[in-house]
Amino acid sequence: MADSTTADPGATDDGEDRRDFLLIATSTVGAVGTALACWPFIDFMNPSADVLALSTTEVDLSPIEVGQSITVVWQGKPVFVRRRTAEEIEIAQAVPMGDLIEPEEDGARVQKADWLIMIGVCTHLGCIPLGQRSGEPKGEFDGWFCPCHGSHYDTSGRIRKGPAPNNLPIPPYEFLDDTTIKIG
Amino acid sequence: MATPTWNNPIVKWIDYRLPVFSFMHHELVDYPTPRNLNYWWNFGSLAGIVLVIMIATGIWLAMHYMPHVDYAFDSVERIMRDVNYGWLLRYVHMNGGSMFFIVVYIHVFRGLYYGSYKNPREILWIMGVFILLAMMATAFMGYVLPWGQMSFWAATVITSLFSAVPLVGDAIVSWLWGGFAVDNPTLNRFFSLHYLLPFIIFALVFVHLWALHVHKSSNPLGIDMKGPQDSIPFHPYYTIKDTFGLGVLMVIWMFFVFFAPNFFLEPDNYIEANPLVTPAHIVPEWYLMPFYAILRAITFDIWFIPAKLIGVVAMFASILILLFLPWLDTSKVRSAKFRPIYKQFFWIFFVDCLILGWIGANPPDALFMDTVPLLIIGQIGTAYYFLHFVLVFPLLGWLERPRMVPESISAAVVAAEPPAPGSV
């Protein structure tokens, strides 16, 4: 009982005893167990299996004319698919690296020079840049223009002016044949 | 209890302005607790922990659950199959409901055995009855959410109870449904209320604990603490004892979660709700079965009052009568330890509750040993249930001669300990 706690037979010379060991061991096991129990709650909020299953999108490129763009949805985000004109390709390839905010060769951003495929989400704060449809502002570099905070992207989707820090990202994709791609 | 002095400057700064650390120290560390509490006193804190786990898992499940008749069933199956650890959180929550009631029922029977409801703990007890009622409502509405066959028909049967109310019964039922049958509006509001009620329970638990901490815990001897020699600080003595009990509860709970997750569930609830077909055998969850048996026991009209109404009133009365227990029990002695006759009646009452539960689990027209209709047994069980409160409790206080109550907790503890060697 409470009255008989005065003498601790397990006490050693250095002032540590079995009780200290038990207290630390118990607390440690309890803390580790609680931390482990948190993981299912955290992982519960991650993308679920059915969401991950929608991670690829196939796109038929055949109806797209030269100089036309389409927007497809991949993982809930817009992907810009543009069949570039020879002029656009030429401009994109001729830009000196020193002029770029995030230097990147045009050749590194496309698998086939005709087809520019990138995620159409502004790298500043997530708006969708304009320039997909004819008549929309394309910005000072004739590519895309984000209306939210004025970021200008060139014909390779690289950031040239404005607050966005990075070029429009390129999603993983492959050509299944000449007119079909699989994104993701 | 002296206010502790804090060494940590941040703790000190906060505590001077908002004495939260002193409060915690006073109520959870220094808090004087009877030194003779046995393991039956674990179940209050266990219930509190189960409530917290239920709220946590419930909030998480709501992140993926969809309260719509077209999606509810599928969203629960999606939680089971596609959502990371969804199966774990759902099974913890689902079996947690049963664990909650096991723990709380033991807690209630502990109170009945040791007379914990008596002066000056009447309000503490009444708050407990309110918590029990709120738990039942919450559990029932949670059972509806997966939108299986048992969910749907439980919702239909339970809400239809209110149609027994004279004159406005049908209007009340239609109001509860938000329509002319259990449908999407019903599911939506049940989800809303199922989310709300646990927080109301949480608030009631706070009041329950507030009342508890005024006059402190009762104890197996049922006598008051008379001084420091009768108590020990809550920490570490009862924190460690409660932690051990929590470990045991977790072993049992996780056994069901991992090895028998659907043990408490009716298989029919994995069939999506169909408003056109009722399952052959409708039963509530086990924790509501005794009350369901009382509902079904009333098959006869009394004068002009229809049986249906009496059944519903009897069912609600069987819980509400607990509110009056502190005054129905006329004995001044709290603990059944010193009440030889009450102790026997306590066990009769306990068995009666088990029998009512068994009756509630069986079809209404079944026979026991091919001869005795279960209905008759249910009616006798129901009669005893009420007689126990309105007859046994008041009369025993007058007729029973209690045994001698010890002078103090410490005196009883010392007397029970073997004498030290050489002291004889």
Side-chain angles (χ1 to χ4, degrees):
Chain A
M1 298 305 296
D3 317 303
S4 54
T5 55
T6 41
D8 182 354
T12 53
D13 295 339
D14 56 3
E16 290 180 21
D17 56 27
R18 261 185 355 173
R19 249 183 220 168
D20 292 324
F21 172 77
L22 285 172
L23 179 66
I24 293 165
T26 310
S27 310
T28 307
V29 170
V32 170
T34 308
L36 289 176
C38 288
W39 174 245
F41 287 85
I42 295 165
D43 199 31
F44 188 84
M45 296 167 75
N46 273 326
S48 56
D50 59 326
V51 172
L52 294 176
L54 299 175
S55 58
T56 63
T57 303
E58 282 188 26
V59 186
D60 178 13
L61 302 176
S62 56
I64 307 171
E65 303 283 340
V66 174
Q68 259 191 343
S69 301
I70 62 161
T71 305
V72 297
V73 177
W74 172 66
Q75 291 187 346
K77 294 187 288 279
V79 171
F80 293 169
V81 179
R82 178 161 181 84
R83 189 169 181 184
R84 299 192 291 186
T85 61
E87 190 196 355
E88 285 170 353
I89 298 168
E90 201 179 313
I91 295 169
Q93 287 174 343
V95 176
M97 287 299 107
D99 289 0
L100 295 174
I101 294 168
E102 187 191 7
E104 204 177 3
E105 295 283 356
D106 182 64
R109 293 177 53 80
V110 292
Q111 291 182 14
K112 294 182 179 179
D114 285 1
W115 297 99
L116 176 63
I117 293 149
M118 56 191 184
I119 296 171
V121 177
C122 182
T123 57
H124 179 220
L125 291 172
C127 295
I128 313 298
L130 299 171
Q132 281 292 85
R133 268 177 282 179
S134 58
E136 284 184 351
K138 288 172 169 291
E140 291 174 21
F141 298 88
D142 208 26
W144 288 264
F145 171 69
C146 184
C148 289
H149 306 94
S151 292
H152 299 254
Y153 296 92
D154 68 11
T155 57
S156 189
R158 293 171 297 202
I159 180 66
R160 301 297 291 273
K161 184 182 170 190
N166 298 109
N167 302 333
L168 291 177
I170 307 297
Y173 67 92
E174 57 179 318
F175 279 86
L176 299 177
D177 55 51
D178 281 349
T179 58
T180 315
I181 54 165
K182 187 177 86 174
I183 307 172
Chain B
M1 275 317 137
T3 305
T5 47
W6 302 104
N7 293 324
N8 183 314
I10 297 171
V11 170
K12 204 171 184 167
W13 188 90
I14 294 173
D15 202 67
Y16 181 68
R17 286 150 181 86
L18 179 71
V20 57
F21 295 101
S22 291
F23 177 80
M24 300 283 270
H25 195 267
H26 189 246
E27 302 299 337
L28 291 172
V29 179
D30 279 346
Y31 181 66
T33 317
R35 57 192 283 176
N36 59 336
L37 296 190
N38 56 32
Y39 273 108
W40 299 113
W41 263 262
N42 274 41
F43 289 86
S45 75
L46 288 182
I49 293 167
V50 176
L51 175 65
V52 169
I53 295 175
M54 291 301 278
I55 290 178
T57 50
I59 288 173
W60 257 256
L61 287 170
M63 295 177 189
H64 280 291
Y65 170 76
M66 287 185 270
H68 187 286
V69 290
D70 292 340
Y71 304 111
F73 187 86
D74 289 343
S75 74
V76 172
E77 286 309 301
R78 189 178 153 265
I79 288 170
M80 292 302 294
R81 289 148 202 261
D82 288 343
V83 176
N84 303 318
Y85 291 103
W87 58 272
L88 178 64
L89 265 60
R90 173 165 176 256
Y91 279 154
V92 167
H93 195 75
M94 200 173 95
N95 289 285
S98 287
M99 293 304 125
F100 205 173
F101 276 95
I102 290 174
V103 165
V104 162
Y105 281 150
I106 293 174
H107 188 60
V108 172
F109 277 111
R110 194 290 315 278
L112 288 174
Y113 188 87
Y114 291 108
S116 302
Y117 47 85
K118 289 185 195 184
N119 177 19
R121 296 186 182 84
E122 297 94 328
I123 292 180
L124 173 59
W125 172 261
I126 288 168
M127 285 301 148
V129 179
F130 288 152
I131 291 170
L132 182 61
L133 278 170
M135 276 176 62
M136 287 173 173
T138 310
F140 157 66
M141 287 190 276
Y143 190 53
V144 174
L145 300 184
W147 210 242
Q149 273 289 65
M150 296 309 271
S151 301
F152 184 89
W153 293 101
T156 302
V157 170
I158 300 294
T159 50
S160 296
L161 291 178
F162 293 89
S163 69
V165 177
L167 303 175
V168 291
D170 287 339
I172 291 176
V173 172
S174 164
W175 175 75
L176 288 172
W177 289 341
F180 305 105
V182 172
D183 208 332
N184 202 46
T186 326
L187 178 59
N188 273 203
R189 63 191 59 183
F190 277 21
F191 179 58
S192 173
L193 295 172
H194 182 73
Y195 208 117
L196 166 72
L197 278 174
F199 295 95
I200 296 196
I201 294 175
F202 200 86
L204 287 170
V205 167
F206 186 81
V207 179
H208 192 66
L209 284 175
W210 187 4
L212 173 71
H213 281 224
V214 174
H215 290 285
K216 314 286 188 285
S217 291
S218 180
N219 64 79
L221 294 174
I223 52 179
D224 294 330
M225 290 187 283
K226 293 189 175 109
Q229 72 281 6
D230 288 344
S231 74
I232 44 178
F234 189 77
H235 181 75
Y237 295 104
Y238 288 112
T239 45
I240 200 68
K241 191 164 183 165
D242 285 348
T243 305
F244 176 74
L246 178 64
V248 174
L249 173 69
M250 282 299 165
V251 168
I252 296 168
W253 188 348
M254 293 307 133
F255 168 80
F256 284 110
V257 167
F258 292 117
F259 299 104
N262 291 300
F263 180 82
F264 294 106
L265 197 73
E266 293 293 322
D268 273 12
N269 219 32
Y270 283 109
I271 302 170
E272 192 168 1
N274 180 352
L276 305 180
V277 181
T278 306
H281 180 41
I282 285 280
V283 281
E285 287 283 79
W286 68 267
Y287 41 79
L288 298 177
M289 279 170 182
F291 309 103
Y292 192 57
I294 291 172
L295 170 77
R296 293 193 309 191
I298 312 296
T299 52
F300 43 86
D301 299 352
I302 299 178
W303 299 309
F304 57 93
I305 310 170
K308 181 173 164 182
L309 177 58
I310 303 168
V312 172
V313 169
M315 187 185 74
F316 283 106
S318 65
I319 301 163
L320 295 177
I321 200 166
L322 289 168
L323 293 171
F324 304 97
L325 180 57
W327 296 277
L328 289 170
D329 186 344
T330 52
S331 172
K332 295 272 177 276
V333 177
R334 291 198 191 103
S335 174
K337 213 178 165 101
F338 306 108
R339 300 185 60 192
I341 305 177
Y342 172 66
K343 191 192 271 183
Q344 294 170 29
F345 276 102
F346 169 85
W347 289 111
I348 293 172
F349 179 73
F350 178 73
V351 171
D352 187 48
C353 290
L354 293 184
I355 290 173
L356 284 172
W358 165 66
I359 300 285
N362 278 287
D365 47 4
L367 298 173
F368 177 59
M369 313 277 281
D370 289 329
T371 46
V372 190
L374 289 193
L375 177 65
I376 302 290
I377 301 175
Q379 286 174 336
I380 295 169
T382 301
Y384 181 76
Y385 185 97
F386 286 103
L387 287 177
H388 185 81
F389 285 100
V390 299
L391 215 62
V392 174
F393 269 118
L395 285 184
L396 274 189
W398 296 102
L399 302 176
E400 182 184 46
R401 198 190 149 141
R403 286 169 42 208
M404 272 285 282
V405 173
E407 189 187 326
S408 74
I409 293 172
S410 54
V413 170
V414 171
E417 272 177 3
S423 69
V424 182

